Amino acid sequence: MTKKERTLAACRILKEIYPDAICSLEYEKPYELMIATRLSAQCTDARVNIVTKTLFQQFPTLQSFADADLTELEEAVKPCGFYKTKAKSIKEAAQRLLEVYGGEIPQTMEELLTLPGIGRKTANLLLGDLYGKPAVVTDTHCIRIAGRLGLTKNTEPQKVESDLRKLLPPEESSDFCHRIVLFGREFCKARKPACGNCPLREICPAKDQQ
C-alpha cells in the first residue's frame, strides 16, 4: 500500500467513525476562534472552553480585547498557562485586526501570520474552519499519528504539513485533521495506544511496534 493509498483509506475510515468533523474549541464569532486557538497552546481544549465561556462574557467584542487592561486580561486567561505571553498577543492581535483588517479575520496564510501570536497551526485552523479552505493543522495528535501511519518521517510541524498536503485531497484536509484529534484521544494515544481494537489497524505499519 502506497502512502497515498494509506492516506485515502484513513480519510475514508475516519469519516465513517467521526462524521461530524468539528473543532473541539467553542466559539460564536470568528475572532473568538482565533483567541481560543491562541489559548490552546500547551493547554487542553477542555480547559480553554471553560476559560473562554467567562472570557467572552467579560470581553464581549473585539474592541474590548483591543482596549483591555493587560493585567485584567492576564488574570482572565491565567488558567490556560503562559498567561502573560498569551494575553499580550491576544490584545495586540485584536488591535491589528481592527486597525489593518477592519475587524475581520484575514483569508490568507500570509496575512494571518502577521497577527501577533499566530503561527501556521492557528492560521491553518482559521482558514479551514472559517473559510473552508484547504488546511493542514499539525498539532501533536496529527504529527504523532501521521508518523505512526508512515505518512511522514518528519516531526517538525511545517515539514509534516508539507508532507500531508502532498497526500491529502485538499477538500478533505481540514476535516481529516479534526478527525485525527478525535482518533488520537480515543485510540492512538501518545502512551499505550489501543492498537488491539484500532479501526486503522489494518493499514497501520506501526501496529506491532507499540
Side-chain angles (χ1 to χ4, degrees):
M1 182 177 278
T2 66
K3 287 184 181 180
K4 186 73 171 181
E5 290 171 337
R6 198 177 301 125
T7 303
L8 294 176
C11 283
R12 185 189 74 252
I13 295 167
L14 292 177
K15 187 184 290 188
E16 292 172 358
I17 303 170
Y18 309 107
D20 299 321
I22 57 174
C23 181
S24 301
L25 296 169
E26 297 171 358
Y27 68 98
E28 294 181 1
K29 305 167 187 174
Y31 74 81
E32 290 181 348
L33 178 58
M34 178 195 74
I35 291 171
T37 308
R38 179 69 187 96
L39 292 175
S40 70
Q42 305 297 314
C43 183
T44 65
D45 289 355
R47 180 176 291 276
V48 171
N49 287 336
I50 293 171
V51 170
T52 55
K53 187 173 183 179
T54 302
L55 180 70
F56 294 152
Q57 292 176 347
Q58 186 176 354
F59 301 95
T61 65
L62 185 61
Q63 188 69 58
S64 65
F65 277 102
D67 296 338
D69 175 79
L70 192 55
T71 302
E72 186 179 350
L73 185 54
E74 287 174 354
E75 193 61 32
V77 304
K78 195 170 185 177
C80 294
F82 302 97
Y83 63 97
K84 287 186 179 292
T85 302
K86 291 180 180 180
K88 183 175 183 290
S89 62
I90 288 170
K91 179 179 172 70
E92 291 177 349
Q95 291 171 338
R96 182 167 176 80
L97 282 177
L98 290 165
E99 293 168 2
V100 181
Y101 300 108
E104 300 294 324
I105 300 291
Q107 297 192 38
T108 69
M109 174 66 72
E110 293 72 23
E111 290 174 310
L112 285 168
L113 292 177
T114 68
L115 299 174
I118 303 301
R120 291 190 66 87
K121 185 179 83 168
T122 300
N124 270 301
L125 181 69
L126 295 173
L127 290 172
D129 279 43
L130 298 180
Y131 300 119
K133 295 189 175 186
V136 178
V137 182
T138 50
D139 69 350
T140 55
H141 291 290
C142 180
I143 293 170
R144 179 178 73 253
I145 295 166
R148 286 177 177 172
L149 287 173
L151 307 183
T152 181
K153 293 182 178 179
N154 291 302
T155 55
E156 184 182 323
Q158 190 165 344
K159 289 182 179 179
V160 175
E161 177 189 336
S162 178
D163 290 341
L164 291 181
R165 282 188 185 276
K166 298 170 187 173
L167 298 171
L168 286 166
E171 69 278 7
E172 297 279 358
S173 58
S174 181
D175 287 347
F176 175 82
C177 291
H178 284 316
R179 292 181 176 120
I180 277 288
V181 171
L182 299 173
F183 172 71
R185 290 172 179 164
E186 186 174 358
F187 294 101
C188 200
K189 301 175 183 179
R191 298 179 181 178
K192 297 184 179 179
C195 295
N197 52 340
C198 173
L200 298 186
R201 179 176 174 79
E202 294 308 312
I203 65 169
C204 181
K207 62 179 179 292
D208 298 318
Q209 301 171 21
Q210 304 300 322

